[in-house]
Amino acid sequence: MAAAVAPVLRCSLLQRRPLRCGPGLRPVAGAGAALRPCSSRVAQEGINKPVIDRIIRVDHAGEYGANRIYAGQMAVLGRSAVGPVIQQMWNQEKNHLKKFSELMVAYRVRPTVLLPFWNVAGFVLGAGSALLGKKGAMACTVAVEESISEHYNNQIRTLIEEDPEKYRELLQVIKQFRDEEQEHHDIGLEHDAEATPAYSVLKTAIQLGCKAAIFLSERI
């Protein structure tokens, strides 16, 4: 957990395109995807601190939990035919978590105190769904990623209502991650998630858990 929230003084490069880490950061001229080092702090004047704290805290917790889910799935299915697909999605989640760890430092946001619980719960959910086979793992992915995409959309609306220019950098991050989570959702459907026995029941139960996790992580 400590490693997840430690200050990171370099911008991360995501697989598809680079993200800037905060106000004032720009790509180095003529360097393509290269980025200048990030500042470990951003100006706090004029931002709605309670809103930003809540957004970054819950998104960090969500990406942390997603990493643990994929870790659990890989522990069971890592050597199966679907292992490379799960690994690819997990690699993107690792980048998401790294970025939100940077943002927590930059905006001086404390992590949720529930991280130790999400550590265990996420792994158990991932491993448990994978024990149902490939379809079970993908059903879990669909349920979780659908909830996360909806959650990110709500945050995008909130930030646009607040001030789309002031929070342009954060909006860029959330929009990109929302798109990648939606891709994971679609991958799950392509790999027969809906063919899982009692799919609708399993999906509903997981999504109820996601809503509870979001509610708690925003506040605690």
Side-chain angles (χ1 to χ4, degrees):
M1 181 178 71
V5 298
V8 179
L9 301 181
R10 299 185 286 110
C11 289
S12 61
L13 297 179
L14 295 182
Q15 293 178 350
R16 299 194 306 170
R17 55 186 181 274
L19 292 176
R20 293 171 289 187
C21 290
L25 295 175
R26 298 293 184 269
V28 178
L35 296 175
R36 293 193 181 109
C38 304
S39 169
S40 61
R41 295 287 186 269
V42 296
Q44 302 291 305
E45 295 81 6
I47 71 169
N48 189 331
K49 192 69 165 63
V51 169
I52 298 304
D53 283 5
R54 186 171 69 246
I55 286 175
I56 294 176
R57 179 181 302 114
V58 70
D59 288 354
H60 174 266
E63 297 297 352
Y64 183 84
N67 268 267
R68 298 303 294 152
I69 290 172
Y70 283 116
Q73 291 184 349
M74 283 299 291
V76 177
L77 296 174
R79 297 190 179 185
S80 70
V82 78
V85 177
I86 297 173
Q87 183 66 60
Q88 180 183 2
M89 294 189 288
W90 188 15
N91 288 341
Q92 284 190 313
E93 298 296 349
K94 289 177 181 178
N95 285 326
H96 295 183
L97 178 58
K98 183 177 181 180
K99 183 61 185 179
F100 276 114
S101 296
E102 293 175 354
L103 290 174
M104 291 188 76
V105 174
Y107 285 91
R108 306 174 192 177
V109 178
R110 66 164 179 81
T112 174
V113 300
L114 296 172
L115 279 185
F117 179 76
W118 303 145
N119 177 28
V120 176
F123 189 89
V124 169
L125 175 58
S129 64
L131 287 172
L132 299 175
K134 180 195 81 170
K135 295 175 184 178
M138 291 300 166
C140 176
T141 294
V142 169
V144 171
E145 302 293 21
E146 185 175 292
S147 295
I148 293 176
S149 296
E150 180 182 347
H151 174 65
Y152 277 151
N153 280 330
N154 290 336
Q155 290 184 338
I156 290 167
R157 285 190 286 270
T158 295
L159 291 174
I160 289 175
E161 289 172 1
E162 286 281 332
D163 189 330
E165 183 57 31
K166 182 184 299 181
Y167 301 114
R168 178 170 53 89
E169 304 288 352
L170 186 54
L171 277 166
Q172 178 189 0
V173 172
I174 295 174
K175 285 178 179 178
Q176 177 170 334
F177 290 177
R178 184 271 318 274
D179 291 346
E180 291 174 351
E181 305 294 6
Q182 185 62 45
E183 287 179 4
H184 298 173
H185 169 274
D186 295 344
I187 288 171
L189 292 178
E190 291 168 4
H191 285 79
D192 303 321
E194 293 175 308
T196 307
Y199 169 75
S200 60
V201 175
L202 178 62
K203 180 181 177 183
T204 298
I206 292 174
Q207 290 188 328
L208 287 174
C210 288
K211 289 181 180 179
I214 289 169
F215 179 86
L216 293 172
S217 295
E218 284 180 331
R219 293 162 174 79
I220 301 177

